[in-house]
Amino acid sequence: MSEMFREMVEFFSLADSEKQQYEAKSASDPIKCGNFNVANTSNQSFTLWREYLKLYVHPDFHCPHQPQLLRDVVQEYTQMIRVLTRKLIEAVCEALELNQRRYVDEILKMESSFQLFATNYYPRCPQPDQAIGIPPHTDHGLFTFLIHNGVAGLQIEHDGKWFNADSPKNSILVNAADQLEIFTNGRCKSVKHRAVVNEEKDRISIVVANGPSGEAVSIGGLRWWRKMGEQSIVQ
Ligand SMILES: O=C(O)CCC(=O)C(=O)O
Ligand SMILES: [Fe+2]
């Protein structure tokens, strides 16, 4: 993990001219970075205090050439996360008495699953109450896996209130995401969260989002819930 944080610090320290080639042009760019802008969501305007790098890493792997070791560490880490995702989906199927083989192998197609690697760099902010790292949102995919450099910032919404949700350094925090909520027909709720910034320390978080295969989506689960006499949470 510490190697990955080192590589990420190195990436964000690259000259702007080097990073510019990856500047986000469209949402589907396989490698994209960006920084400090204003976001408008649900009639609210936020000043975003962060720099980010996002990579599509599975089924096709994309990564900048610099810094040199980045490719290897991202490849190793995301491969390990795919194994973990599969185990967690198997556990969810077991708990809900869904046929694992059918859902994990045939429908979710974890071998060709979609995977996104994202790093957020939140420099210390002179006016933390006037800015935000990332505004409130839920993540796409089945699960997201989050690690950070030991600086607090993640908050989770529960019953309309925000709570600090900082995991210990060197641990992986797992969040349920949108397609898991659909797949389980609402039993696992996609967690609404945001990242706040602080005046004292730079923060880095590394987030890996794992979805089912692009061609599979989690429709299989829906058919199952309908068969069991439940109304699906999506049409
Ligand atoms: O930095 C964090 O703690 C949250 C990051 C996040 O929610 C995201 O990248 O989707
Ligand atoms: Fe998120």
Side-chain angles (χ1 to χ4, degrees):
M1 281 188 193
S2 52
E3 227 175 302
M4 211 155 39
F5 284 109
R6 232 186 353 257
E7 293 307 302
M8 293 324 311
V9 170
E10 217 175 299
F11 177 83
F12 289 118
S13 318
L14 290 174
D16 286 344
S17 55
E18 184 74 34
K19 286 186 277 184
Q20 254 157 21
Q21 60 181 307
Y22 304 119
E23 232 161 61
K25 287 163 206 78
S26 102
S28 58
D29 291 347
I31 301 180
K32 56 178 182 282
C33 64
N35 57 25
F36 313 102
N37 58 10
V38 175
N40 294 299
T41 49
S42 352
N43 300 329
Q44 259 186 299
S45 178
F46 295 94
T47 301
L48 302 188
W49 197 261
R50 74 158 180 166
E51 220 179 309
Y52 71 85
L53 171 68
K54 285 187 182 174
L55 313 173
Y56 290 174
V57 291
H58 199 258
D60 297 316
F61 184 80
H62 301 271
C63 190
H65 297 297
Q66 292 289 342
Q68 266 179 6
L69 295 179
L70 184 62
R71 188 176 195 89
D72 288 349
V73 289
V74 172
Q75 219 153 21
E76 191 187 338
Y77 181 65
T78 52
Q79 149 80 24
M80 187 272 287
I81 295 290
R82 285 199 298 281
V83 173
L84 207 52
T85 302
R86 192 185 166 95
K87 288 204 168 107
L88 286 174
I89 284 292
E90 282 171 0
V92 168
C93 286
E94 196 176 317
L96 299 180
E97 295 177 7
L98 291 169
N99 180 327
Q100 274 189 19
R101 177 149 252 218
R102 185 162 144 64
Y103 285 98
V104 182
D105 294 343
E106 290 174 33
I107 297 172
L108 294 176
K109 290 193 177 59
M110 296 308 291
E111 300 318 316
S112 56
S113 59
F114 173 77
Q115 198 180 32
L116 172 82
F117 175 95
T119 305
N120 305 298
Y121 169 56
Y122 312 101
R124 60 199 80 181
C125 176
Q127 289 182 296
D129 53 339
Q130 302 295 311
I132 193 153
I134 301 190
H137 67 283
T138 57
D139 293 332
H140 300 309
L142 294 160
F143 295 104
T144 44
F145 297 79
L146 183 141
I147 56 177
H148 58 79
N149 65 337
V151 178
L154 176 68
Q155 295 188 332
I156 280 179
E157 193 197 61
H158 182 67
D159 283 345
K161 294 198 194 91
W162 288 102
F163 294 89
N164 295 332
D166 289 295
S167 44
K169 199 178 171 193
N170 296 326
S171 67
I172 301 179
L173 181 133
V174 184
N175 264 342
D178 297 346
Q179 278 157 318
L180 187 71
E181 179 165 340
I182 295 169
F183 179 63
T184 61
N185 210 26
R187 285 164 177 77
C188 300
K189 290 266 180 283
S190 188
V191 181
K192 196 184 233 186
H193 56 284
R194 67 182 185 184
V196 295
V197 288
N198 78 86
E199 217 172 339
E200 272 138 44
K201 288 186 180 153
D202 297 347
R203 176 166 187 263
I204 297 181
S205 66
I206 294 178
V207 174
V208 180
N210 294 262
S213 157
E215 81 233 30
V217 200
S218 36
I219 300 302
L222 298 184
R223 244 187 269 127
W224 167 259
W225 300 118
R226 282 203 192 108
K227 204 166 123 196
M228 298 301 283
E230 283 187 28
Q231 180 126 27
S232 346
I233 59 166
V234 294
Q235 295 312 310

